[in-house]
Amino acid sequence: MRVRDVAARFARFTGRTLRAEWHGIVVDPVRQLARRGLSGLVLAFVAAFGVIFFHEVAQRPAGAAAVRILGGVQADLPLWLTLLRTPVSLYVPALDLPVWAGITQLFLAFALAELTLGRGRTLFISYATTLAGTLTVRVMIAIGPGWWGLGLPSEAGRILDTGPSAAVVGLFTYLSVVRRAPVVFFLTGGSMVVESVVRPNLAGREHLIAVAAAIVLALFHGRGPGWLPGRAALLDRWRRAPAPAPAPAPAGAPAGPYPHHRPHRPRRHPALPGANARDSS
């Protein structure tokens, strides 16, 4: 009887979790899409078309050199150049991976994030997770080989960055933590852990760093009114701000809405000569 009760409770818990995840990851974004229309997918379309554009340009030798100059990020580059190229690197796909599968994942990640989190937060999470992986790899190379496997040799500094894949992993991980979606989490963050164990490489490390950064950022989601407020929150805060108190009137000034306005008094005309005499007569 106890085993049956435990199994029933576990089944109910699993059903509630999956139903909540379905509503948080699928139903709510679809409702937002029906309400906002295609304007809610601007970032998804821009990211997908950007990857397609850079992929087509890179098919030619001159185009590949231009793409590498604009968005090729390596750990041996100066830091200012890395920061300058990182936003463009979000649209530069890895040439040794199937581009259409990556575009599908990229479009889905940005679409769900934009419909769920908003445009500003989506851009922030995608850039922050990508930059976290890029900068941490620089620290690992500076440490050098050793350090319980954390350090990297200097040759790793010549390997190209992950491109949009770190942003995709970061967005999916952030959404899964915020929306309490364990299935999505294990399909994204868990798969990155398995990949880094089975095939340890630089991209796997950057993906793990992106997952960790997304988890940390998701833990601060909604903590306090001042953490990365969106445009609606700023407008609401501005509308609810109390109006400034009027300046106190100077001593002796008449009260009223216009301090310098004197109250109207009827004008008295002087009595005409002989008026009293006629009145008395």
Side-chain angles (χ1 to χ4, degrees), residues 98-123:
V99 63
W100 293 109
I103 289 175
T104 303
Q105 296 177 2
L106 181 72
F107 184 87
L108 187 60
F110 273 90
L112 291 176
E114 186 175 1
L115 292 171
T116 305
L117 306 173
R119 195 167 298 166
R121 195 181 295 269
T122 300
L123 287 174

Side-chain angles (χ1 to χ4, degrees), residues 128-251:
T129 51
T130 302
L131 192 62
T134 300
L135 297 182
T136 307
V137 166
R138 297 174 69 96
V139 174
M140 292 180 179
I141 294 175
I143 292 175
W147 288 81
W148 298 283
L150 294 178
L152 290 172
S154 59
E155 293 79 11
R158 293 190 290 271
I159 302 176
L160 281 177
D161 199 42
T162 56
S165 58
V168 172
V169 173
L171 288 175
F172 273 127
T173 303
Y174 188 92
L175 283 173
S176 62
V177 175
V178 170
R179 290 290 179 167
R180 294 178 176 84
V183 175
V184 176
F185 179 81
F186 285 112
L187 288 178
T188 55
S191 64
M192 292 299 103
V193 174
V194 174
E195 177 188 358
S196 62
V197 173
V198 176
R199 297 177 55 188
N201 52 18
L202 185 64
R205 293 196 181 204
E206 292 189 1
H207 291 160
L208 287 180
I209 296 167
V211 169
I215 292 175
V216 172
L217 292 174
L219 294 178
F220 288 94
H221 179 80
R223 298 290 183 88
W227 189 86
L228 196 64
R231 182 175 60 181
L234 289 176
L235 289 176
D236 183 65
R237 189 181 305 175
W238 177 77
R239 290 168 182 166
R240 290 186 300 176

Side-chain angles (χ1 to χ4, degrees), residues 61-136:
V67 170
R68 191 180 186 92
I69 292 174
L70 292 175
V73 176
Q74 301 170 195
D76 59 353
L77 294 175
L79 181 59
W80 67 269
L81 189 57
T82 298
L83 297 176
L84 190 63
R85 292 183 180 181
T86 299
V88 185
S89 70
L90 295 176
Y91 307 105
V92 179
L95 299 179
D96 57 343
L97 295 178
V99 63
W100 293 109
I103 289 175
T104 303
Q105 296 177 2
L106 181 72
F107 184 87
L108 187 60
F110 273 90
L112 291 176
E114 186 175 1
L115 292 171
T116 305
L117 306 173
R119 195 167 298 166
R121 195 181 295 269
T122 300
L123 287 174
F124 175 77
I125 298 301
S126 59
Y127 183 76
T129 51
T130 302
L131 192 62
T134 300
L135 297 182
T136 307

